[in-house]
Amino acid sequence: MLPIMGQIRNDKLLKLIALKIKELRAENEISQEDFYNDTNIHIARIETGKINISVSTLHSICRYFNISLSDFFMDINIVS
Amino acid sequence: MLPIMGQIRNDKLLKLIALKIKELRAENEISQEDFYNDTNIHIARIETGKINISVSTLHSICRYFNISLSDFFMDINIVS
DNA sequence: TTTTAAAATGACAAATATGTCAGTAATAAA
DNA sequence: TTTATTACTGACATATTTGTCATTTTAAAA
């Protein structure tokens, strides 16, 4: 039995997700405000890694940037 | 501006996630109860697609099955 | 058909995300 | 340094997930 920690927020993961989203937004030159106006997603608190977003929310973000969820996680590999 | 629907639960996505988890559990011959005992994650309500789980929770599930998040989403591609 | 194991559903409290605004800090341009 | 833009933080109500059990339904085995 692995020492799985259940749903407890995985901060390292959230930080990487935050970074990735920041990158996508930078590449596409979209401001947080633009993003909010287009999606109603308050991305600031996501980009600071404070929020453990749902898969639906992440999916919406990926769709906005035309990237698949699989690609989104491509360079995100957490061990613990 | 795309007709993004914000964080509203994406049922089609949740169904596919549910299926994928079911598959993983079948492949590994783990019962929901075993899974629960090992992870404290109540997977039944996830496998019925009723819950829009967080990325941390999904990450825990993937770790349990030794699969990356990127691989998990490999065959999950939703348009809308 | 009865027993047994597994899956699905339901309930409930506590924690947390989400939607929405407003306000502050940081950065860049004039 | 002032102005303008963008990023970050905080707050609050509402909705939803999560943790935990218990119960019902389904399916498989005896």
Side-chain angles (χ1 to χ4, degrees), chain A residues 8-69:
Chain A
I8 298 170
R9 167 205 268 98
N10 183 330
D11 285 319
K12 213 173 289 185
L13 174 68
L14 298 188
K15 287 295 182 197
L16 289 177
I17 288 175
L19 259 183
K20 180 72 180 174
I21 292 174
K22 239 186 226 291
E23 276 174 33
L24 286 170
R25 200 165 54 73
E27 284 169 19
N28 294 71
E29 298 180 74
I30 305 282
S31 72
Q32 290 184 342
E33 197 181 2
D34 289 343
F35 190 84
Y36 182 67
N37 290 333
D38 290 351
T39 66
N40 275 15
I41 297 175
H42 190 173
I43 211 169
R45 53 188 169 192
I46 297 172
E47 288 187 5
T48 48
K50 289 186 180 143
I51 283 206
N52 184 15
I53 57 175
S54 68
V55 288
S56 285
T57 298
L58 183 58
H59 181 236
S60 294
I61 294 171
C62 285
R63 274 206 300 137
Y64 186 84
F65 292 121
N66 271 309
I67 181 177
S68 72
L69 280 161

Side-chain angles (χ1 to χ4, degrees), chain B residues 37-53:
Chain B
N37 290 333
D38 290 350
T39 65
N40 276 17
I41 296 174
H42 191 173
I43 212 170
R45 53 188 170 190
I46 298 171
E47 289 188 5
T48 49
K50 292 189 179 139
I51 284 208
N52 183 13
I53 57 175

Side-chain angles (χ1 to χ4, degrees), chain B residues 8-67:
Chain B
I8 298 169
R9 168 205 268 95
N10 183 332
D11 285 318
K12 212 173 290 185
L13 174 68
L14 298 189
K15 288 294 181 197
L16 289 177
I17 288 175
L19 258 184
K20 179 72 180 174
I21 292 175
K22 240 187 224 290
E23 276 175 34
L24 286 170
R25 200 164 56 69
E27 284 169 19
N28 293 71
E29 296 180 77
I30 305 282
S31 71
Q32 291 184 342
E33 196 181 3
D34 289 343
F35 190 84
Y36 182 67
N37 290 333
D38 290 350
T39 65
N40 276 17
I41 296 174
H42 191 173
I43 212 170
R45 53 188 170 190
I46 298 171
E47 289 188 5
T48 49
K50 292 189 179 139
I51 284 208
N52 183 13
I53 57 175
S54 68
V55 287
S56 285
T57 297
L58 183 58
H59 181 236
S60 294
I61 294 171
C62 284
R63 275 205 300 136
Y64 185 84
F65 292 121
N66 270 308
I67 181 178

